[in-house]
Amino acid sequence: MDFLALLLFLIPIYIANSSPVILGGGIAIDLGEKFFDKKRILGKGKTVRGFLAGVACGTVAGVLIAMIYPLEFFSSTASQMMGAFAVSLGTMAGDSFGSFLKRRFSIASGKPFIVDTVLFLAVALVFVYPFAEASLYTLENILFMFTLTVIMHPTANLVANKMGLKNVPW
Ligand code: CTP
Ligand code: MG
């Protein structure tokens, strides 16, 4: 297993997932609208600016990595760059879908829920599928990526809370 390659693959995903905490705000993606269950569709924590910032920051990070370090999971620099966009969009789509599920389960915005930890990674891996090589999707790679993310997610949130970037430590 190539740990460095896996870490470099994950960096754009983690950057996409965390940049909205700093850069988000403004108009909510769901425009304040409610779903059939009379609860918000996504909630106030999912903003248009946060979504776009996540996609942009993750893509920039992944494109820079592609320029200096070709990853074995992609057949060319071009596919690695398109992959950077795909994982970033997938991360933010997964993040929004997670909020959609949380609202359906009546979990308030900002409260922790198990899907927060891994759903964005799962959706990023699905979105990057058209651009990535099969070697990305080995069982050991997938186990490593999910295990690291399960450990990193609460750690990063705790650090962001201590730094005053996040109101809650999760
Ligand atoms: N954020 C944003 N836009 C997004 C995603 C996140 O502006 N598309 C910002 C919001 O300020 C949000 C913070 O990043 O409060 C933390 O993101 P996250 O933990 O994903 O959202 P929660 O506030 O916990 O809301 P939810 O319960 O819906 O996940
Ligand atoms: Mg949260």
Side-chain angles (χ1 to χ4, degrees):
M1 190 170 17
D2 188 341
F3 290 104
L4 179 63
L6 286 168
L7 281 177
L8 289 171
F9 173 78
L10 288 171
I11 284 173
I13 296 174
Y14 292 167
I15 289 180
N17 190 244
S18 55
S19 49
V21 177
I22 301 162
L23 300 172
I27 299 167
I29 297 172
D30 67 8
L31 303 172
E33 296 293 328
K34 296 188 169 67
F35 200 59
F36 300 114
D37 54 10
K38 309 272 188 337
K39 295 181 172 66
R40 284 284 292 267
I41 302 172
L42 300 179
K44 61 179 169 53
K46 302 293 119 135
T47 67
V48 175
R49 199 168 76 208
F51 188 101
L52 296 177
V55 175
C57 293
T59 304
V60 168
V63 165
L64 289 175
I65 290 170
M67 281 158 53
I68 52 178
Y69 198 98
L71 292 174
E72 67 210 44
F73 311 126
F74 299 95
S75 61
S76 66
T77 303
S79 54
Q80 191 174 333
M81 288 179 175
M82 288 187 282
F85 174 70
V87 291
S88 304
L89 187 64
T91 296
M92 297 317 298
D95 178 62
S96 298
F97 183 52
S99 292
F100 176 80
L101 294 178
K102 285 171 81 171
R103 301 302 87 84
R104 306 291 72 76
F105 285 105
S106 301
I107 296 160
S109 287
K111 290 275 178 291
F113 188 43
I114 188 77
V115 301
D116 286 340
T117 334
V118 288
L119 187 64
F120 65 96
L121 173 61
V123 178
L125 288 172
V126 171
F127 273 45
V128 79
Y129 183 77
F131 308 102
E133 299 294 295
S135 64
L136 175 65
Y137 299 94
T138 64
L139 183 60
E140 58 171 11
N141 283 355
I142 289 172
L143 284 176
F144 173 78
M145 289 190 278
F146 278 98
T147 306
L148 186 72
T149 304
V150 165
I151 298 166
M152 283 295 291
H153 193 259
T155 312
N157 285 340
L158 192 65
V159 171
N161 174 248
K162 292 276 177 255
M163 286 168 67
L165 298 173
K166 227 170 178 281
N167 293 328
V168 287
W170 52 75

